[in-house]
Amino acid sequence: MKNHIFAAILLFAAAVTAVRGNNHQPTDANFTGHVLNRQTQEHIPHATITVRGTNIGTVTDRSGHYRLNNVPVGAITIVASLMGFETQEIEVKAQSGHTIEVNFELTEQSVALDRIVVSASRSAVSQRDAVSIVNVVTPAVFEITNSVALADGLNFQPGLRVEQNCQNCGFPQLRINGLEGPYTQILIDSRPINSALAGVYALEQIPVNMIERVEVVRGGASALFGSSAIGGTVNIITREPTHNSLTVSNISSLIYGRAPDIATNLNASVVSDDRSTGVSLFASSRTRAALDYNGDGFSEIGEINMTNIGFRGFYRPAATSRLTLEYHTIDEFRRGGDRLDRPPHEAEIAEQTEHAIHSGGAKYDIFFDGGKHHLQFFSALQHIDRRSYYGAGQDPDAYGRTDDMSFVTGGQYTLRMDRLAFMPATLVGGVEYSHNALRDEMLGYGRIIDQTVDIYSVFAQNEWRGQLASILLGGRLDKHSMMRRPILVPRISGRLAPASWLSLRTGYAAGYRGPQAYDEDLHVTAVGGGVALIRVAPDLEPERSHTITLSAELMRRRPDTAFQLLAEGFYTRLDHVFVIEEVDTDADGNLILERRNGEGAVVAGVNLEANYIASRALHINAGFTLQSSRYTEPEQWSETVEPGRRMFRAPNDYGYLTTVWSPVRPLDLSLSGIYTGSMLVQHFAGYIEHDREVTTPAFFDLNLRAAYAFRLRGGVELQVSMGVQNVFNSFQRDFDRGPDRDSGYIYGPALPRTASIGVRLTM
C-alpha cells in the first residue's frame, strides 16, 4: 500500500513540475468590485468569482468585495455564484495595464433546482438543462433530517430507499427504482472505486461532513460511469475548499432511551489569497452503543466505533490547469449479537468486523482555447483490510480476513462546439481501466474467494444542446476479464422544452453485471443457530438489462415562490437475472445458498416529486414511488415455500416528506418523514419451524427538529438544535428471539424512537 501511495505522490510531483512552465505571463489586466444581495442590498461574503474557460478565480471577502489579477486580455466572461443564489455572468473586455470595476447583484433562489452537476453526461451542465434527471442531496437535506451518515439522508429522494438487512451488524443497502444494492454504482468524486467489499457497509461509513453534495441519477442513464449502473448512480462529491473557515459540530442521540450514539465532526478550509491553492480538511468520530430492542439478550442495532480523517485540495499551476487531490481513511469497529463484552467466539451469535480503509484520488484538468477544449487525467485507489467474525454457537472457526484493492485510471477529452450540424454540441470521449483484487478467507468454513477482475473501457458520447431541445447519443465498450467477449452499452437520451415552464425527457440505456462476488457474498448472516454462506454457481452468466425512462417536469417560478412537479416513468427488463437459492447444509449445520441465473425480471413504475416554496420562510418537498418488481417466471428459494414471481424487499409504494419553516430568521423548524409500504420478506427457519414468506405491514417514520442560530462577534455562528426521530416509534414488532433467530429477518425503519441534541460552531 505504501508503494502505491509513494508512486502516486511522485506522479503528482511530476505533473506539477511539467506544467510550471505553462504559467501565463502577467497581463496586469485586473478587475475589482463587490457582490450584493439584490433583495436586501447587503454585501455577500464568500461568493465565488471566476473567469469562464479558465481556472482564474477568487471569493469575496467578509465585506463582499473581490479582486481578480492578471486575467487574459480580450473579451472574457466573469461569473459570480453562490449556493442559494442565481448565478450571474457579465461579459467584459480586459485591457492590459487597466483595472476595471465590475459589480454583481445576485438574486436568492426561491428553490435550488438549477445547480451545476456532472453525473448526467460526465461534463458540467446546468441541472435544469441536463438531458437526464439528476437529483441532488445537499448538506441542507442532511441537516434538517438529522443525518449522521450518508445512509440517513438518501431516503429523501424519489425512487430511493435505504433498508437494513441484518440485526447484528447493521448491513445497509440502497435500492433505486426497486433494484437491490448491487445494481447501483457508487462513485466517489465520479470514480467507481467503491468495490463490492466496500459496498457492504459504505453507506454508514461515509459521514456527512465530508460530503459537498450527492448527485443521484436513476436508471441506466449514467452508463458512461460504469455498466453496472443498472438501477442508478450515486456520485458522492467531497467537500472542496472555497474560503477560509472552521466548523466543529456534535450530534448526541439516545436510541429508544437506552443506547447513546455520539457523532463529532470537524471541518476546516484554507485557501490562498490568489486562489491558486486550497485544502479542505475533515475529520469525524462516531460511537454508537448496541441496542437490544426486545430484551432477549441479542442486539437489534449493532455497536459502532468509527473515525474518519481526510482532505481535498487543489493547486493551480497555471490559469488553464488545475490539480486536485483527495484522500480519506476510515477505521471502523462494529459488533452485534450477544455477549458483546466477550470475544466473539464466546457468543451464541456474533458478527464483528474491523475495517481499515484508505481511499484517494487525483485529477488533472487542462483547458484550451477559452474552455472549448478540456483534457482530464484521473486516477483513484482504494485499499481495504478487513478482519471479521461471522459465526454462531461459540464457533472458533468463524474468523475471517479480507484484503481488497481497487484501482481506476484513465483520461477524458471534452470538446465544446458552437455548432455541429444543427445546434451547439459537446463531445466527450475517453478511456478507463479498472482493477479489483479480492481475497476473502474463512478457513474454518473452507471458504475462500480469490478473484481478480480487470475491465478495459472506451466511452464516447455527443450531446446536442439547445434551449428548445437536447439529444444525447453515446456508448461504452467494456472488456471484462471474466467474460469472453466485449460488451457494448449504448445510451440515447432526449430533452424537449416546448415552454419555459415545461421539460420533457426520455431515454434508453443498456447495462450488465458480470459473474463476480457481490456484497451479499462478503456478508455472512446468522440463521437458525448457524450461518448462511453464499457461493457463486460455476456456470453463472452475466446479467443484462434494458432501461427506458420517460418524464415530464413542470416548474413555475416567481420572486418569492416556486412550484415544481416531476413525474417519471421507468421500465427495466433484466435477462438471466441473478437469484439466490437454498441448495444444501454443510456438516456444521451452516446453510449453503447459491447465486444462479434465473429467467428474467421486470421492474417498472412511476416516481413523483413535488417542491413547493410557499414563501422564503416555508419550503416543502415530497416524493412518492409506485412500482412493480416481478420475475418473469416463478423462482424457488426454499424447498418448503412455493415458487413465486414477486421480488423480495420491493414494496409497491414508498415515499418521503421534508418541510422547513423559518418563522424568524435564526429559527428553523423541520418536519420529515419516510413512508414504506407493505412488502414480501424471506424468513428462514430456526426460530420458526419452516422457511416462510412474510407480508410486512406499512411503516411511517416521522422526524421533528428545531434549530436556532446565534450570531456572535467576528462572523462566528453558534447553532443549537434538538430533534426526535421516529416520533411514533413505528418499528418492527416481530423480531426473532434467542440464538436460533434469523438475523436477516429485519425490515422497516432503521431506528426506533430516538432523541438528539446538536451544537455547531462556525467561524
Side-chain angles (χ1 to χ4, degrees), residues 24 49-52 54-58 68-72 316 319:
H24 67 295
I49 312 296
T50 58
V51 178
R52 177 176 292 247
T54 75
N55 277 314
I56 298 175
T58 186
L68 288 172
N69 294 323
N70 294 316
V71 304
R316 292 189 175 107

Side-chain angles (χ1 to χ4, degrees), residues 436-509:
N436 177 247
L438 169 75
R439 183 172 179 84
D440 179 65
E441 298 179 345
M442 293 186 72
L443 299 180
Y445 290 166
R447 164 182 147 144
I448 297 178
I449 300 175
D450 191 354
Q451 67 174 31
T452 299
V453 177
D454 295 290
I455 303 176
Y456 300 86
S457 305
V458 178
F459 56 86
Q461 71 176 26
N462 191 74
E463 181 180 2
W464 290 269
R465 186 185 307 145
Q467 283 190 329
L468 175 63
S470 299
I471 303 171
L472 185 147
L473 295 173
R476 180 184 176 105
L477 183 66
D478 281 359
K479 178 57 183 77
H480 194 293
S481 62
M482 298 182 70
M483 300 171 62
R484 290 176 296 174
R485 298 184 182 90
I487 291 186
L488 176 63
V489 181
R491 174 191 175 192
I492 179 171
S493 300
R495 180 185 67 90
L496 178 66
S500 61
W501 48 269
L502 179 63
S503 293
L504 306 175
R505 295 180 175 92
T506 187
Y508 163 80

Side-chain angles (χ1 to χ4, degrees), residues 306-323:
M306 187 188 74
T307 59
N308 176 48
I309 300 174
F311 71 90
R312 176 170 175 168
F314 68 84
Y315 170 62
R316 292 189 175 107
T320 55
S321 60
R322 172 179 165 126
L323 179 68

Side-chain angles (χ1 to χ4, degrees), residues 129-156:
D129 293 337
V131 73
S132 302
I133 295 172
V134 181
N135 286 84
V136 179
V137 186
T138 65
V141 174
F142 292 127
E143 181 176 326
I144 65 176
T145 58
N146 238 22
S147 298
V148 173
L150 175 64
D152 303 327
L154 288 180
N155 279 306
F156 299 95

Side-chain angles (χ1 to χ4, degrees), residues 51 217 254 263 328 346 361 401 458 464 474 535 557 576 640 650 711 727 757:
V51 178
V217 179
L254 193 62
H328 67 272
E346 295 183 11
R401 179 76 180 265
V458 178
W464 290 269
R535 69 189 188 194
R557 306 181 69 170
H576 307 298
T640 62
R711 309 286 183 176
V727 174
I757 58 173

Side-chain angles (χ1 to χ4, degrees), residues 34 53 91 114 133 177 221 248 430 439 514 539 554 560 567 581 586 592 596 600 604-605 611 640 642 666 699 754:
H34 64 235
E91 295 183 0
D114 198 17
I133 295 172
N177 286 353
V248 181
R439 183 172 179 84
D539 58 347
L554 181 150
D560 294 324
E581 298 182 12
D586 66 15
I592 306 300
R596 298 173 172 175
N611 281 285
T640 62
E642 288 293 322
F699 290 88
T754 299

